[in-house]
Every structure is written in structure tokens, then in C-alpha cells.
Amino acid sequence: MKRLWMGIFVVVAAANTVGLLHADEVDELAGTIDRHIAARWSEENVVPAPAADDAEFLRRAYLHLTGKIPRVSEVRAFLDDPAPDKRRALVDRLLESPGYIVNFTSVFRSLMIPEAEAEPQFLINVPAFEAWLRVRFADNVPYDETVHELLTTSGSGNDNFAGRNLGPVEPNPAIFYRAKQNKVENVAANVSRLFLGVRLECAQCHDHPFAKWRRQDFWQFAAFFETPAGKIKIPDTDQVVEATYLSGEKAVPPSGTSVRNELATWLTSSENPYFARATVNRLWFHFFGTGLVDPVDDFDADNPASHPELLDELATEFAEHNFDLKYLMRGIVASRAYQLTSRQTDGSQSDPRRFAKKAIQGLTTGQLFDSLAEATGYYESNAERNPLNMNENSERAKFRQLFGNEAGEPANAETTILQALALMNGEFVETATDLEQSTTLAAVVESPFLDTAERVRTLYLAALSRYPSEAELASMVQYVDSGGPSDEPQTALADLFWALLNSSEFILNH
Amino acid sequence: MLKTTRREWLGLTAAGVRGCSFSRWMTRLACDTEEAAERKRSCILLWMPGGPSQMDTFDLKPEHKNGGEFKEIKTSVPGIRFSEHLPQLAQRMNEMAVIRSMSTKEGDHGRATYLMRTGYLPQGPIRHPTMGSLFSKELARDGADLPNFISIAPFRFLSPAAYGPGFLGPQFAPLVVGAGQPGQTDDVDASLQVENLKLSENVTAAQAGARLQLLEQIETGFRAERPGLAVNSHRSAYELAVRMMQAGGAAAFDLSEEPDELRDSYGRNRFGQGCLLARRLVERGVPFVEVSLSSPDGNGAIGWDTHQNNFPAVQSLSEVLDAGWATLMSDLKERGLLDSTLIVWMGEFGRTPVINGNAGRDHFPAAWSTVLAGGGIQGGQVYGQTSEDGMKVTDKPVSTPDLLATICTALGIDPLRQNMSNVGRPLRIVDPDAVPIREILT
């Protein structure tokens, strides 16, 4: 099955390259970002950090675009490549790789139905929803169309028990409604947060003295999901309200269409001041760890954007480019702000909202697991990878328990004790650093043509996607040659690999 | 595996490493453990997921038709009576304050669990921390060998968010033990161990020390150039993990050190042994431990949710509860720890006084009971009252924030202290409208 999917991806990917953007448009978008960000630096006497080197950029771009670190061979090839435009070429390649589809399917799934992580019994619905998203990303469907389809789907949101038999899963966007328990108030609250960046739900129960949105606004918006009537009674009152846009305009569907359809059209329209901004902001958050508006779903007069003009321009360009997510990503990743080092070289860089050094982000459970697997050469069977696999003893499931973000929150950059213990003493890392069981380590130890320095370099490339510095190399070669406490150079290499996999440089996206 | 004491390990580590400076982790650890930290008050929360029936535990109505099958018995305090199935606890009534006038509004498991465990109703994007995270943050000791918040056998299914650190972040997350699913392990002792706390059998102590020093070496450069939360939390998590490994952290969870007789009186089940573990942890200075009793055999059902056959279910749960809780109190008392340990017994709501057609009782938040005992509590009293039929509170109603403010005060925490929330505004530990119940505080 997986092989079949891969085949489809390849065909789609080939078809898509025809539509590659003109390079200048990407440069222009990156230029827009650079102009606004740099203007604030000079206004506020911020000294930006230097540019990231190739290795730093490579690892970061892989994690953001494909959800895992690069292979040793990819690192070597990229670092050796003398082409001046190799970063741009790398991004183009990654955006057309299956890894991109898998990664953003998972990113948007956890945005749209975070319930799947909080409620184990809901996991059964994940494959159908992911199947739907996967096709969207594989075809690079414009984001407004994706959201329009989500809002107007007529499918059933019932539990997809058909998926149990591991056969083909029917893509099903209606799982979104099932995740919100098919309750109009939950759906309304989530739609406004996700796609408009507005927290209407605070007004669900009563008016707040200083908030812009009133209780009536919330229920008027909720009325869109009370189909076909488009009317709803505000709980504990006798007041019935009709579907009304946040602009205050009542929805008047032409006969034969539903209010839901009207909402989808209004919401995803390029005229809508919220939709493009909210989407741009979410994507910005993905790459920078801080939104231009932050928290990302709190667009409010009291919570202004750090760079309002930049947000507006990005939103306009995004809408004009047919809501093409890849266009936005290309521009962001090509920007100077994205390509800064995460090293802090001046105190003025400490405010994350100045984007004067690259922010350090945590890895999601999936990213950490996939990166460990990549570094250590762990082979995960299809059955283990399947989200329907309820086997709590699979390595991925154990990771989910330990590192899982319970409420589906974005990845947190903080490490917990249990995580530290798992990485230090857990079976997975133990196997990965076991001379007889680890693929990567065995390859490094057993290759007769490698000297100690080359073995150390390979382990650095595998775990940290970079070569060791001269000082690191000298010190680690000395340790390995000494044999460490076990008096065995091979075991000492295992010790080094263990230390690299436990380092914050490995565990974080920086 | 190689059995090594901490001192040996330190020695081996120092001898076994060449070419790099002696790790600060090791030296810091050695100094800190020498100093005995000053004891603050601890809290043990006995959490009853599903909602225990007040009518069949602490607020019986034998005269009324709603009363049901159970009889009342005398307690050690004249005039106070409760269920016949809690005979050992009855002997400790002088150390307990029973609140019979809890009055809340949430009758849904998820929302009520969230409310009782965080003090707040779910409000959009705010991620409220569970009380263990809130309180342990205030009671935390510097340089402790064990985490400040340990959760034993939690049943998180009803509201996962109500068991987490919320906006306080993972540094305040509980260390969880005994959360295994039914069938995964029937061995109570094994299920209460911390995973990965011991070195792998293939790694010698000397090697482990050398690895940590390599790690420290790799960290140094990265850390110096990238100051901030992410790198700091990595450091503190690893420090505490190493500290737990070295300072006999695993021993704290080793119940086989306890006499068989004592283990028997706690009850040889997950809750009973969990209470024993709680005592061992509190004894070692852990400020907040919670033990959940979800079913008599700890098999992960919500036993207290007695919509059917209420009486046999509550009876068998009561027997497990009585042995574990009462032994916990006597054991703490013998060790001089009861005065410095607050014990809280509660679930998310109570159950309907009216018995339904399936001999069960349904969800009932309007009038129900909780119990506070031990440190900071004026024992031997009942607070509040319900009507003869149990349907409403007739005296001194207590809200969720009132209860949490009372717990805070008993622990010596100011309930009005603030934490910065994830939505950019500060939030008090307990809603500022809360009024602590002065009458039951010492």
C-alpha cells in the first residue's frame, strides 16, 4: 500500500514542477520580509545575528519542510556542493519530496483536529482525515479551496471503522466535525480560531466588558453551522439569531444554496481581511516559533502584530498568488530572517519578536522519533507507522506516551525528566548505541577504511548534520582512541554517539 | 546490572575520564545532597475519578428512602458517623474534616474533572495547570533529588488536559508512574516503578559517567551561544534525571524495602501500594503526590461512576480506600509526618441521592462531599450540611475555588499568587473570589 502511495506521489511531484514559480517572485517576497524586519532592527538599534552556515540551514530546512533531519549522504552532498544557489535548489527539491507531503499533513492534522492527540479513542479517525489532507498537499491545492471544501463537506463524520482492516482509507474531511463532537458551538469556535485567527468563543457564555466580540456575535456565527436553518437560539435565552458574518452583514443565501456554502465563500474570499492574515501568521509561526501576531489565534486590537505592514503585505501577496502555501514557504525560507544563525551574538537579539536571531524550537514527537530513526538507521515497519496501530509497545507509541503533546499544542522546546530518562536509558537509544544492533554505529565501526577521525565525523554528521569543529574532533578522537572507561575504542564510539543523541543540539530545531 | 553505590559511581567517573574537565553536574550533585533541605508542608491528593457517592461514604441518610443499603457507624468523634465500609477511617476521624456541602455546577465528567483539578472551567485557549503543578511549583525545594510532583496511577481519560501542567510548561509536569493499561502489567510493584531510571544492563557505571561528561562537553559550546528556555530546560531535566538516578531515586520506588505486614495493611492493590509509595515520596521531601483510585483492582475502569449496581461497587471500592488511606494516615503519624502532610480526598462530583432504576446513582454536582485531613487541618469536624433527602446544601455551601483556596492555605500557599498564562495575562492560583474555610484550618 505504501509503495503504491509513493508511486502516486512521484507522478504528482513531476506534474507539479511544471508550475514552479518564477524565481523573482520568491526573491521579491523574501525582499518584502527583509525590508520590514530590517527596518525595525535599525529603528530599535537591534544588531542582527550573522547568517547561518550551510549545515545550520540544511538541518533547519529539513526539519521545517520534511519533519526530520537529513541523511549523512545528503549532508555531505549539500556541504560539498559549490553552487551559489544551492539553498534555493534544496528548498525546491524538498517541497516536491514525499517528506513535504507527510510533514504538512501531520502539521495541519494536529492544527485542525488536535483532539486526536488528546483522546486515544479518536485515533481511529486520523487516517481518513490525513488521507484527505495528503491529497491536498500532494496536489498543492490552493489553501482557500482546501478550507472551502472542509467547510462545505457533506460527508459523514462518523467513526471510520472501515479503517480498522488496514485496507484503503477513504479520505474524509468530515472527521473535522466529528472531532468537534458535531456541536455547532465547538465547530464555530474552532473555525474562527483556525481560519480567522479570532477567539470568538470567549464570548460564548457572556459579554466581556472590554472584548470586541459579544455573545450575540458568537451565536450569529455559530448559526452558520446550524444547517439548513441558519438560525440558532442562544442558550438560556429566548433570543433566536440568524447567520451573520463577523462584518455584521447578514447572510442571504440565494435559493438552493446553504448558509454554510455562503460562509465558506465569504471566509475564503480574498476580500476577507482575516483569512489570508491568519493563514500567513500560522505559517510564519511554523518557521519562526513566534507569530507576527502571537498567540497566533488572537487577532485583536489589544494584541497587535509585531510587524503589521509585513503581515498585510504577505497576506495580500498570498491571496494574489492563489493562496499557494508553497509560494509563501519559499519566500519565508529564502528570507534573511529565516537564514540567520540561532547563536546569540548581541543582547539586542533576545526579544523573539524582533526576529534578530533564529528562534530555537522544540521537535514534535513525530519529528524527534523520525530524526532518531534517521540518525540511527532504525527501520520502522509499515505496521508500526500506521496510526491505527494500537500496540502500546511499539517504539513510536512509547515515544508518543513520553513526549506526546497532550492537548495537541505546538511542539514545546522544553525537556522533561521522563524524556531525559528515556533518551539516556531507554531501550530505543540503547539499541541505537549498541554495537551489535545499531545500523549507523555498526557501519561506522566496521568500515575498515575509516580512521578514527572519519568515524567521529560520520557520527557528527549522522546526529547533528554537521562536521565537528577542529577542537571537537581532536578531543573526541582522543577519547575514542583512549577507549574510554571500557578501554575499547568501539565502545567509546558508542559513548560518543549516545552523547550526541542526548544533546540539546540534537533534540532541538535551531 | 552492575550494582554500584553513588559514591562508587562518582569515584569511577572521576577516574575513568581523560582529557576533559570534571563535570559540574557531578560536583554540584555531591554538594547538594549533603545538605538537608528544610521541610515544607506536602500534599497527598487521593483522587477518585468518576465521582464517588457521598450518600454511601461520608454523608449517609439512613432515615430517608434515598439512603440506600449502607449503615452508618460511629467514628472516634462523638456525634459524627459515616459509612460502615470505612471502619478504619472512622477511627481517624479526629484527624479529618469532612466537608458535606460541596456545591458545583458541572455534571459532565470532562468539564467537572477539569474544574476540580484546575479550579477553573475550560475557557477557550487558556491551558489551566492541574493543581499538582500549581502547588508543587510553590512548594518546590531547590536541589531536590526527586521531582516535585509525582502522579500515581492517574486515570487521564476523562480530561487529559486536567492532568497536565498547562501554561506552566513541562518543567511542572508530573512524573507519572503506574499509568499502565490493564493487561499490560498485573505486577503492582513493577507498575509503580519509574521507567528508564536504571542504567541499561549493558552500560557500566563508569561508562555512564564518561557519557555524561561527553554530553556536558558537547553542551557547553551550544549552551553558551544559545541562552534561553529551551537549552536551560534541557539542562535542568538532565540534571534532575541524573540526580534521581544517582541519589537512590530508584530506591524511593522500591516497595520491597517495606515490611510485608505494613504492605498488607495498605492493601496489595495498585491504590494501596500507591499510598505506601506516596508516604515514601513525602518522606523524601516530594511536596505533591497524587494517587488515583479508579477501580478496586486498578484495572483502568472508572469504578466510582456507579450508574448501575451502586452498592456492591461502592462497597468494594470503600474497602480498598479504607485500608490504603487509613494506613497512610497511621503510617505518616508514626513517622511524625502527618502534621506536615495534608491529605485531600475528592472526585469530580457526587452522585444523585435518588437511586435510579438500575440500583445506581447518576452524576450530581449540587450537594456532595470532600475530605481534608492531616497537616494544617482542624480535624474531628464536619463542615456544612445537606437536606434530609440529600438533594441540596442547607448550610455553608463550598465552591470549587473555596475548596482549593482552603487547600492552599493549609499548605501555606497564598491562593492569590499569580502565574503568567499562555494568553498573555496573569492568572491567580485560585479565583480571587474564593473564600478559604477558616473553621477547618489550624
Side-chain angles (χ1 to χ4, degrees), chain A residues 100-127:
Chain A
Y100 163 81
I101 300 166
V102 171
N103 184 42
F104 280 93
T105 293
S106 144
V107 168
F108 277 80
R109 192 267 292 155
S110 84
L111 268 181
M112 290 175 173
I113 52 166
E115 294 84 358
E117 276 142 74
E119 296 167 37
Q121 80 276 25
F122 193 78
L123 278 177
I124 188 160
N125 293 306
V126 168

PDB file of all heavy atoms in Angstrom, chain A residues 100-127:
ATOM      1  N   TYR A 100       7.698  16.308   2.319  1.00  0.00           N
ATOM      2  CA  TYR A 100       6.920  17.536   2.469  1.00  0.00           C
ATOM      3  C   TYR A 100       5.447  17.212   2.700  1.00  0.00           C
ATOM      4  O   TYR A 100       4.790  17.771   3.584  1.00  0.00           O
ATOM      5  CB  TYR A 100       7.088  18.415   1.222  1.00  0.00           C
ATOM      6  CG  TYR A 100       6.043  19.497   1.088  1.00  0.00           C
ATOM      7  CD1 TYR A 100       6.150  20.687   1.803  1.00  0.00           C
ATOM      8  CD2 TYR A 100       4.927  19.316   0.269  1.00  0.00           C
ATOM      9  CE1 TYR A 100       5.182  21.666   1.704  1.00  0.00           C
ATOM     10  CE2 TYR A 100       3.953  20.300   0.163  1.00  0.00           C
ATOM     11  CZ  TYR A 100       4.083  21.476   0.875  1.00  0.00           C
ATOM     12  OH  TYR A 100       3.122  22.440   0.789  1.00  0.00           O
ATOM     13  N   ILE A 101       4.939  16.283   1.892  1.00  0.00           N
ATOM     14  CA  ILE A 101       3.517  15.931   1.992  1.00  0.00           C
ATOM     15  C   ILE A 101       3.216  15.302   3.347  1.00  0.00           C
ATOM     16  O   ILE A 101       2.268  15.684   4.039  1.00  0.00           O
ATOM     17  CB  ILE A 101       3.142  14.963   0.847  1.00  0.00           C
ATOM     18  CG1 ILE A 101       3.394  15.641  -0.501  1.00  0.00           C
ATOM     19  CG2 ILE A 101       1.689  14.520   0.970  1.00  0.00           C
ATOM     20  CD1 ILE A 101       3.384  14.681  -1.678  1.00  0.00           C
ATOM     21  N   VAL A 102       4.062  14.369   3.734  1.00  0.00           N
ATOM     22  CA  VAL A 102       3.858  13.692   5.023  1.00  0.00           C
ATOM     23  C   VAL A 102       3.930  14.703   6.167  1.00  0.00           C
ATOM     24  O   VAL A 102       3.092  14.723   7.068  1.00  0.00           O
ATOM     25  CB  VAL A 102       4.939  12.600   5.219  1.00  0.00           C
ATOM     26  CG1 VAL A 102       4.878  12.033   6.631  1.00  0.00           C
ATOM     27  CG2 VAL A 102       4.750  11.490   4.184  1.00  0.00           C
ATOM     28  N   ASN A 103       4.918  15.592   6.096  1.00  0.00           N
ATOM     29  CA  ASN A 103       5.128  16.541   7.185  1.00  0.00           C
ATOM     30  C   ASN A 103       3.963  17.508   7.331  1.00  0.00           C
ATOM     31  O   ASN A 103       3.423  17.692   8.420  1.00  0.00           O
ATOM     32  CB  ASN A 103       6.425  17.307   6.928  1.00  0.00           C
ATOM     33  CG  ASN A 103       6.761  18.250   8.065  1.00  0.00           C
ATOM     34  OD1 ASN A 103       6.625  17.900   9.231  1.00  0.00           O
ATOM     35  ND2 ASN A 103       7.180  19.460   7.729  1.00  0.00           N
ATOM     36  N   PHE A 104       3.559  18.136   6.234  1.00  0.00           N
ATOM     37  CA  PHE A 104       2.497  19.132   6.380  1.00  0.00           C
ATOM     38  C   PHE A 104       1.123  18.505   6.587  1.00  0.00           C
ATOM     39  O   PHE A 104       0.237  19.113   7.177  1.00  0.00           O
ATOM     40  CB  PHE A 104       2.542  20.146   5.233  1.00  0.00           C
ATOM     41  CG  PHE A 104       3.611  21.174   5.486  1.00  0.00           C
ATOM     42  CD1 PHE A 104       4.891  21.010   4.981  1.00  0.00           C
ATOM     43  CD2 PHE A 104       3.368  22.252   6.322  1.00  0.00           C
ATOM     44  CE1 PHE A 104       5.904  21.920   5.271  1.00  0.00           C
ATOM     45  CE2 PHE A 104       4.367  23.165   6.622  1.00  0.00           C
ATOM     46  CZ  PHE A 104       5.647  22.998   6.087  1.00  0.00           C
ATOM     47  N   THR A 105       0.963  17.257   6.148  1.00  0.00           N
ATOM     48  CA  THR A 105      -0.256  16.538   6.509  1.00  0.00           C
ATOM     49  C   THR A 105      -0.327  16.431   8.024  1.00  0.00           C
ATOM     50  O   THR A 105      -1.364  16.695   8.638  1.00  0.00           O
ATOM     51  CB  THR A 105      -0.247  15.134   5.864  1.00  0.00           C
ATOM     52  OG1 THR A 105      -0.350  15.293   4.452  1.00  0.00           O
ATOM     53  CG2 THR A 105      -1.403  14.295   6.357  1.00  0.00           C
ATOM     54  N   SER A 106       0.782  16.094   8.629  1.00  0.00           N
ATOM     55  CA  SER A 106       0.787  15.926  10.072  1.00  0.00           C
ATOM     56  C   SER A 106       0.661  17.275  10.792  1.00  0.00           C
ATOM     57  O   SER A 106      -0.059  17.397  11.792  1.00  0.00           O
ATOM     58  CB  SER A 106       2.044  15.148  10.438  1.00  0.00           C
ATOM     59  OG  SER A 106       2.572  15.596  11.636  1.00  0.00           O
ATOM     60  N   VAL A 107       1.313  18.312  10.264  1.00  0.00           N
ATOM     61  CA  VAL A 107       1.218  19.642  10.879  1.00  0.00           C
ATOM     62  C   VAL A 107      -0.231  20.147  10.844  1.00  0.00           C
ATOM     63  O   VAL A 107      -0.770  20.606  11.857  1.00  0.00           O
ATOM     64  CB  VAL A 107       2.148  20.644  10.151  1.00  0.00           C
ATOM     65  CG1 VAL A 107       1.844  22.074  10.573  1.00  0.00           C
ATOM     66  CG2 VAL A 107       3.606  20.307  10.420  1.00  0.00           C
ATOM     67  N   PHE A 108      -0.875  20.052   9.689  1.00  0.00           N
ATOM     68  CA  PHE A 108      -2.244  20.568   9.588  1.00  0.00           C
ATOM     69  C   PHE A 108      -3.259  19.657  10.259  1.00  0.00           C
ATOM     70  O   PHE A 108      -4.284  20.124  10.732  1.00  0.00           O
ATOM     71  CB  PHE A 108      -2.622  20.836   8.115  1.00  0.00           C
ATOM     72  CG  PHE A 108      -2.125  22.174   7.648  1.00  0.00           C
ATOM     73  CD1 PHE A 108      -0.801  22.347   7.275  1.00  0.00           C
ATOM     74  CD2 PHE A 108      -2.966  23.285   7.636  1.00  0.00           C
ATOM     75  CE1 PHE A 108      -0.328  23.596   6.878  1.00  0.00           C
ATOM     76  CE2 PHE A 108      -2.502  24.538   7.252  1.00  0.00           C
ATOM     77  CZ  PHE A 108      -1.173  24.691   6.866  1.00  0.00           C
ATOM     78  N   ARG A 109      -2.957  18.383  10.314  1.00  0.00           N
ATOM     79  CA  ARG A 109      -3.862  17.490  11.045  1.00  0.00           C
ATOM     80  C   ARG A 109      -3.869  17.874  12.517  1.00  0.00           C
ATOM     81  O   ARG A 109      -4.909  17.986  13.145  1.00  0.00           O
ATOM     82  CB  ARG A 109      -3.427  16.029  10.874  1.00  0.00           C
ATOM     83  CG  ARG A 109      -4.456  15.028  11.340  1.00  0.00           C
ATOM     84  CD  ARG A 109      -4.283  14.597  12.765  1.00  0.00           C
ATOM     85  NE  ARG A 109      -3.073  13.804  12.949  1.00  0.00           N
ATOM     86  CZ  ARG A 109      -2.433  13.711  14.089  1.00  0.00           C
ATOM     87  NH1 ARG A 109      -2.845  14.364  15.156  1.00  0.00           N
ATOM     88  NH2 ARG A 109      -1.339  12.981  14.187  1.00  0.00           N
ATOM     89  N   SER A 110      -2.697  18.128  13.081  1.00  0.00           N
ATOM     90  CA  SER A 110      -2.709  18.443  14.509  1.00  0.00           C
ATOM     91  C   SER A 110      -3.252  19.847  14.766  1.00  0.00           C
ATOM     92  O   SER A 110      -3.767  20.119  15.848  1.00  0.00           O
ATOM     93  CB  SER A 110      -1.347  18.183  15.151  1.00  0.00           C
ATOM     94  OG  SER A 110      -0.489  19.258  14.979  1.00  0.00           O
ATOM     95  N   LEU A 111      -3.199  20.726  13.759  1.00  0.00           N
ATOM     96  CA  LEU A 111      -3.869  22.019  13.901  1.00  0.00           C
ATOM     97  C   LEU A 111      -5.383  21.863  13.857  1.00  0.00           C
ATOM     98  O   LEU A 111      -6.110  22.440  14.661  1.00  0.00           O
ATOM     99  CB  LEU A 111      -3.491  22.928  12.722  1.00  0.00           C
ATOM    100  CG  LEU A 111      -2.309  23.852  12.843  1.00  0.00           C
ATOM    101  CD1 LEU A 111      -2.171  24.653  11.559  1.00  0.00           C
ATOM    102  CD2 LEU A 111      -2.524  24.798  14.016  1.00  0.00           C
ATOM    103  N   MET A 112      -5.850  21.083  12.876  1.00  0.00           N
ATOM    104  CA  MET A 112      -7.289  21.025  12.627  1.00  0.00           C
ATOM    105  C   MET A 112      -8.023  20.088  13.571  1.00  0.00           C
ATOM    106  O   MET A 112      -9.133  20.374  13.994  1.00  0.00           O
ATOM    107  CB  MET A 112      -7.551  20.614  11.174  1.00  0.00           C
ATOM    108  CG  MET A 112      -7.157  21.696  10.170  1.00  0.00           C
ATOM    109  SD  MET A 112      -7.338  21.098   8.477  1.00  0.00           S
ATOM    110  CE  MET A 112      -7.031  22.620   7.551  1.00  0.00           C
ATOM    111  N   ILE A 113      -7.411  18.939  13.867  1.00  0.00           N
ATOM    112  CA  ILE A 113      -8.071  18.030  14.818  1.00  0.00           C
ATOM    113  C   ILE A 113      -7.097  17.623  15.943  1.00  0.00           C
ATOM    114  O   ILE A 113      -6.715  16.466  16.055  1.00  0.00           O
ATOM    115  CB  ILE A 113      -8.701  16.790  14.132  1.00  0.00           C
ATOM    116  CG1 ILE A 113      -7.693  16.060  13.229  1.00  0.00           C
ATOM    117  CG2 ILE A 113      -9.930  17.164  13.334  1.00  0.00           C
ATOM    118  CD1 ILE A 113      -8.195  14.659  12.821  1.00  0.00           C
ATOM    119  N   PRO A 114      -6.737  18.594  16.781  1.00  0.00           N
ATOM    120  CA  PRO A 114      -5.842  18.267  17.906  1.00  0.00           C
ATOM    121  C   PRO A 114      -6.466  17.235  18.838  1.00  0.00           C
ATOM    122  O   PRO A 114      -5.766  16.583  19.605  1.00  0.00           O
ATOM    123  CB  PRO A 114      -5.664  19.612  18.621  1.00  0.00           C
ATOM    124  CG  PRO A 114      -6.820  20.454  18.197  1.00  0.00           C
ATOM    125  CD  PRO A 114      -7.171  19.988  16.815  1.00  0.00           C
ATOM    126  N   GLU A 115      -7.781  17.079  18.739  1.00  0.00           N
ATOM    127  CA  GLU A 115      -8.478  16.110  19.596  1.00  0.00           C
ATOM    128  C   GLU A 115      -7.891  14.719  19.457  1.00  0.00           C
ATOM    129  O   GLU A 115      -7.942  13.914  20.386  1.00  0.00           O
ATOM    130  CB  GLU A 115      -9.968  16.057  19.232  1.00  0.00           C
ATOM    131  CG  GLU A 115     -10.731  17.337  19.531  1.00  0.00           C
ATOM    132  CD  GLU A 115     -10.598  18.380  18.409  1.00  0.00           C
ATOM    133  OE1 GLU A 115      -9.880  18.126  17.426  1.00  0.00           O
ATOM    134  OE2 GLU A 115     -11.223  19.452  18.542  1.00  0.00           O
ATOM    135  N   ALA A 116      -7.341  14.437  18.269  1.00  0.00           N
ATOM    136  CA  ALA A 116      -6.827  13.086  18.043  1.00  0.00           C
ATOM    137  C   ALA A 116      -5.709  12.756  19.024  1.00  0.00           C
ATOM    138  O   ALA A 116      -5.506  11.606  19.381  1.00  0.00           O
ATOM    139  CB  ALA A 116      -6.322  12.951  16.609  1.00  0.00           C
ATOM    140  N   GLU A 117      -4.969  13.781  19.451  1.00  0.00           N
ATOM    141  CA  GLU A 117      -3.886  13.502  20.389  1.00  0.00           C
ATOM    142  C   GLU A 117      -4.385  13.430  21.823  1.00  0.00           C
ATOM    143  O   GLU A 117      -3.824  12.741  22.653  1.00  0.00           O
ATOM    144  CB  GLU A 117      -2.805  14.577  20.276  1.00  0.00           C
ATOM    145  CG  GLU A 117      -1.837  14.271  19.153  1.00  0.00           C
ATOM    146  CD  GLU A 117      -1.403  15.503  18.403  1.00  0.00           C
ATOM    147  OE1 GLU A 117      -0.597  16.269  18.941  1.00  0.00           O
ATOM    148  OE2 GLU A 117      -1.884  15.717  17.268  1.00  0.00           O
ATOM    149  N   ALA A 118      -5.452  14.177  22.114  1.00  0.00           N
ATOM    150  CA  ALA A 118      -5.955  14.217  23.481  1.00  0.00           C
ATOM    151  C   ALA A 118      -6.827  13.000  23.797  1.00  0.00           C
ATOM    152  O   ALA A 118      -6.926  12.589  24.937  1.00  0.00           O
ATOM    153  CB  ALA A 118      -6.745  15.497  23.718  1.00  0.00           C
ATOM    154  N   GLU A 119      -7.468  12.460  22.785  1.00  0.00           N
ATOM    155  CA  GLU A 119      -8.403  11.364  23.038  1.00  0.00           C
ATOM    156  C   GLU A 119      -7.983  10.121  22.268  1.00  0.00           C
ATOM    157  O   GLU A 119      -8.182  10.041  21.064  1.00  0.00           O
ATOM    158  CB  GLU A 119      -9.816  11.763  22.616  1.00  0.00           C
ATOM    159  CG  GLU A 119     -10.385  12.902  23.414  1.00  0.00           C
ATOM    160  CD  GLU A 119     -11.645  13.474  22.768  1.00  0.00           C
ATOM    161  OE1 GLU A 119     -12.426  12.691  22.213  1.00  0.00           O
ATOM    162  OE2 GLU A 119     -11.802  14.702  22.796  1.00  0.00           O
ATOM    163  N   PRO A 120      -7.397   9.168  22.997  1.00  0.00           N
ATOM    164  CA  PRO A 120      -6.883   7.971  22.327  1.00  0.00           C
ATOM    165  C   PRO A 120      -7.933   7.269  21.461  1.00  0.00           C
ATOM    166  O   PRO A 120      -7.615   6.742  20.413  1.00  0.00           O
ATOM    167  CB  PRO A 120      -6.458   7.075  23.489  1.00  0.00           C
ATOM    168  CG  PRO A 120      -6.288   7.990  24.652  1.00  0.00           C
ATOM    169  CD  PRO A 120      -7.190   9.160  24.431  1.00  0.00           C
ATOM    170  N   GLN A 121      -9.197   7.302  21.903  1.00  0.00           N
ATOM    171  CA  GLN A 121     -10.204   6.566  21.150  1.00  0.00           C
ATOM    172  C   GLN A 121     -10.515   7.235  19.825  1.00  0.00           C
ATOM    173  O   GLN A 121     -11.168   6.681  18.958  1.00  0.00           O
ATOM    174  CB  GLN A 121     -11.483   6.375  21.987  1.00  0.00           C
ATOM    175  CG  GLN A 121     -12.412   7.570  22.046  1.00  0.00           C
ATOM    176  CD  GLN A 121     -12.006   8.568  23.114  1.00  0.00           C
ATOM    177  OE1 GLN A 121     -10.858   8.646  23.508  1.00  0.00           O
ATOM    178  NE2 GLN A 121     -12.949   9.355  23.579  1.00  0.00           N
ATOM    179  N   PHE A 122     -10.023   8.459  19.667  1.00  0.00           N
ATOM    180  CA  PHE A 122     -10.302   9.177  18.427  1.00  0.00           C
ATOM    181  C   PHE A 122      -9.260   8.885  17.351  1.00  0.00           C
ATOM    182  O   PHE A 122      -9.466   9.194  16.183  1.00  0.00           O
ATOM    183  CB  PHE A 122     -10.358  10.688  18.714  1.00  0.00           C
ATOM    184  CG  PHE A 122     -10.936  11.477  17.586  1.00  0.00           C
ATOM    185  CD1 PHE A 122     -12.304  11.518  17.382  1.00  0.00           C
ATOM    186  CD2 PHE A 122     -10.119  12.150  16.692  1.00  0.00           C
ATOM    187  CE1 PHE A 122     -12.840  12.218  16.320  1.00  0.00           C
ATOM    188  CE2 PHE A 122     -10.647  12.854  15.630  1.00  0.00           C
ATOM    189  CZ  PHE A 122     -12.006  12.888  15.446  1.00  0.00           C
ATOM    190  N   LEU A 123      -8.173   8.240  17.747  1.00  0.00           N
ATOM    191  CA  LEU A 123      -7.095   7.950  16.791  1.00  0.00           C
ATOM    192  C   LEU A 123      -7.593   7.217  15.552  1.00  0.00           C
ATOM    193  O   LEU A 123      -7.038   7.363  14.474  1.00  0.00           O
ATOM    194  CB  LEU A 123      -6.006   7.095  17.464  1.00  0.00           C
ATOM    195  CG  LEU A 123      -4.975   7.833  18.302  1.00  0.00           C
ATOM    196  CD1 LEU A 123      -4.035   6.828  18.943  1.00  0.00           C
ATOM    197  CD2 LEU A 123      -4.182   8.812  17.437  1.00  0.00           C
ATOM    198  N   ILE A 124      -8.655   6.473  15.751  1.00  0.00           N
ATOM    199  CA  ILE A 124      -9.189   5.678  14.648  1.00  0.00           C
ATOM    200  C   ILE A 124      -9.586   6.554  13.453  1.00  0.00           C
ATOM    201  O   ILE A 124      -9.615   6.109  12.319  1.00  0.00           O
ATOM    202  CB  ILE A 124     -10.395   4.845  15.149  1.00  0.00           C
ATOM    203  CG1 ILE A 124     -10.839   3.868  14.072  1.00  0.00           C
ATOM    204  CG2 ILE A 124     -11.554   5.736  15.564  1.00  0.00           C
ATOM    205  CD1 ILE A 124     -11.651   2.741  14.615  1.00  0.00           C
ATOM    206  N   ASN A 125      -9.904   7.797  13.738  1.00  0.00           N
ATOM    207  CA  ASN A 125     -10.347   8.682  12.671  1.00  0.00           C
ATOM    208  C   ASN A 125      -9.208   9.396  11.944  1.00  0.00           C
ATOM    209  O   ASN A 125      -9.432  10.062  10.945  1.00  0.00           O
ATOM    210  CB  ASN A 125     -11.288   9.743  13.251  1.00  0.00           C
ATOM    211  CG  ASN A 125     -12.570   9.121  13.744  1.00  0.00           C
ATOM    212  OD1 ASN A 125     -13.249   8.427  13.015  1.00  0.00           O
ATOM    213  ND2 ASN A 125     -12.878   9.335  15.018  1.00  0.00           N
ATOM    214  N   VAL A 126      -8.017   9.274  12.476  1.00  0.00           N
ATOM    215  CA  VAL A 126      -6.896  10.025  11.916  1.00  0.00           C
ATOM    216  C   VAL A 126      -6.585   9.648  10.461  1.00  0.00           C
ATOM    217  O   VAL A 126      -6.413  10.520   9.620  1.00  0.00           O
ATOM    218  CB  VAL A 126      -5.648   9.888  12.819  1.00  0.00           C
ATOM    219  CG1 VAL A 126      -4.407  10.402  12.123  1.00  0.00           C
ATOM    220  CG2 VAL A 126      -5.876  10.655  14.114  1.00  0.00           C
ATOM    221  N   PRO A 127      -6.534   8.344  10.133  1.00  0.00           N
ATOM    222  CA  PRO A 127      -6.140   8.004   8.754  1.00  0.00           C
ATOM    223  C   PRO A 127      -7.051   8.621   7.690  1.00  0.00           C
ATOM    224  O   PRO A 127      -6.560   9.096   6.663  1.00  0.00           O
ATOM    225  CB  PRO A 127      -6.228   6.481   8.725  1.00  0.00           C
ATOM    226  CG  PRO A 127      -6.009   6.077  10.137  1.00  0.00           C
ATOM    227  CD  PRO A 127      -6.666   7.148  10.963  1.00  0.00           C
TER     228      PRO A 127
END
